Amino acid sequence: MPRNLDMTAMRSFATVADAGGVTRAAGLLNLTQSAVSMQLKRLEESLGRSLLDRSGRGVSLTADGEQLLGYARRMLHLNDEVFSRLTDHAYEGEIVLGVPSDVVYPAIPKILKAFHAEYPRMKVQLISSYTSRLKSMFKRGECDIILTTEDSVDGDGETLTSLPLVWVGAPGGQAYKMRPLRLAFEHGCIFRTGVQQALDNANIPWEMAVESDSTRTIEASLSADLAVHAVIEGTTARQLEVVDHDGSLPELKTTCVNLYVAKSVSDQASNDLLTMIRTAYVDL
């Protein structure tokens, strides 16, 4: 049958070990000396081990006491962290995070899951939209943190990584062979103009076959092999694949994934979220 350690007695034991005596530890714990002594006695009885050597003038740890002290410190640290994270109002609040839809996957779900585990009382409001709209919202103070996909970075931003664009379409699709090349893009997609220019420079005729404000509409059209599209390398949706065009389509430019943080963002929770974001996108 499982048995539980008395955390109050463990705290008294660790305090006695750190303070070097029961009297001083009692003062630090705001307890009487007899109360601390009783807690130590109960702890020793529950473990069946002598933890303190009381033969000298002071109090020293036995070999078993030295071994227990390391466990006690780790357990008390976790105990205090749990209470701090779940009850401290400093870890309550909301962070508004804006991310372009084309770089939500695969990083953002993992980041949100890890952050929620660390700060369960914090709310992250995720806004997925185009870079141009996110930057406008950020300037108006409507987002605390945004990611963008751009050719360069503004002075107050930070480039997390630079990645090439790749052609994507239906698995085993043939749309990339069509001429004029059929393209599918959202109206506000920042990659649209660059893709068109690359095709013009390569003297490849093209037509805008599918236009929409909905990413789902674009993905459905691509899955049906009606057109091709361009995304950042490593962010291809699961129902699509990178087009193996064998040089029949032009190579596309590299784009920057940038991070912008409001000056008002300075709390520990937000800083930890920023660390998670930087780590995830550097590893893309």
Side-chain angles (χ1 to χ4, degrees):
M1 180 177 178
R3 293 184 295 169
N4 298 318
L5 289 166
D6 183 339
M7 293 300 296
T8 301
M10 291 283 278
R11 192 177 299 278
S12 292
F13 167 70
T15 305
V16 168
D18 292 337
V22 174
T23 301
R24 188 176 178 187
L28 294 172
L29 295 167
N30 292 318
L31 297 172
T32 64
Q33 183 174 340
S34 60
V36 173
S37 297
M38 286 298 297
Q39 289 173 3
L40 295 175
K41 182 179 179 181
R42 286 200 303 270
L43 183 60
E44 288 180 320
E45 290 175 348
S46 67
L47 294 172
R49 294 286 190 275
S50 176
L51 303 175
L52 300 174
D53 182 356
R54 301 173 177 83
S55 60
R57 295 181 59 184
V59 174
S60 60
L61 299 180
T62 64
D64 288 327
E66 291 174 343
Q67 185 175 23
L68 177 63
L69 182 60
Y71 288 113
R73 285 172 173 159
R74 293 197 295 273
M75 292 171 68
L76 291 168
H77 174 76
L78 287 173
N79 176 84
D80 296 344
E81 182 177 328
V82 167
F83 271 95
S84 177
R85 291 290 171 90
L86 297 182
T87 63
D88 192 339
H89 293 294
Y91 294 116
E92 292 182 346
E94 180 179 82
I95 302 171
V96 182
L97 170 65
V99 184
S101 58
D102 49 7
V103 291
V104 167
Y105 293 99
I108 291 298
K110 297 176 183 177
I111 292 170
L112 295 181
K113 182 178 181 180
F115 184 76
H116 179 69
E118 289 291 319
Y119 296 95
R121 296 167 71 90
M122 292 287 295
K123 177 183 177 182
V124 178
Q125 180 183 348
L126 178 64
I127 298 175
S128 179
S129 188
Y130 307 115
T131 286
S132 57
R133 177 170 178 257
L134 291 175
K135 292 187 76 172
S136 296
M137 293 179 67
F138 184 75
K139 288 180 180 178
R140 295 193 299 268
E142 297 171 5
C143 292
D144 301 304
I145 302 168
I146 63 169
L147 293 173
T148 65
T149 49
E150 305 175 86
D151 292 337
S152 59
V153 62
D154 294 343
D156 56 344
E158 170 189 349
T159 297
L160 300 181
T161 187
S162 295
L163 295 168
L165 295 178
V166 293
W167 295 100
V168 295
Q174 301 299 307
Y176 75 94
K177 296 180 180 180
M178 297 179 185
R179 297 295 182 270
L181 183 67
R182 295 169 59 85
L183 301 177
F185 277 94
E186 298 95 330
H187 290 113
C189 181
I190 200 169
F191 305 143
R192 180 171 170 164
T193 301
V195 167
Q196 294 168 352
Q197 184 176 4
L199 290 169
D200 288 341
N201 292 340
N203 295 317
I204 297 176
W206 56 270
E207 63 179 2
M208 192 57 59
V210 182
E211 295 182 273
S212 175
D213 288 325
S214 167
T215 300
R216 287 293 182 89
T217 298
I218 299 301
E219 291 179 349
S221 301
L222 296 172
S223 297
D225 200 25
L226 301 181
V228 294
H229 183 63
V231 301
I232 293 176
E233 184 179 65
T235 65
T236 305
R238 285 180 293 179
Q239 68 271 27
L240 305 175
E241 70 177 16
V242 175
V243 175
D244 184 11
H245 56 79
D246 196 27
S248 63
L249 296 178
E251 295 299 317
L252 299 174
K253 64 183 179 181
T254 296
T255 192
C256 299
V257 178
N258 297 327
L259 172 68
Y260 296 86
V261 183
K263 293 180 180 178
S264 59
V265 173
S266 60
D267 60 281
Q268 184 61 50
S270 297
N271 286 332
D272 285 349
L273 177 60
L274 288 170
T275 297
M276 294 176 187
I277 291 171
R278 290 185 176 102
T279 301
Y281 282 92
V282 167
D283 292 340
L284 273 182

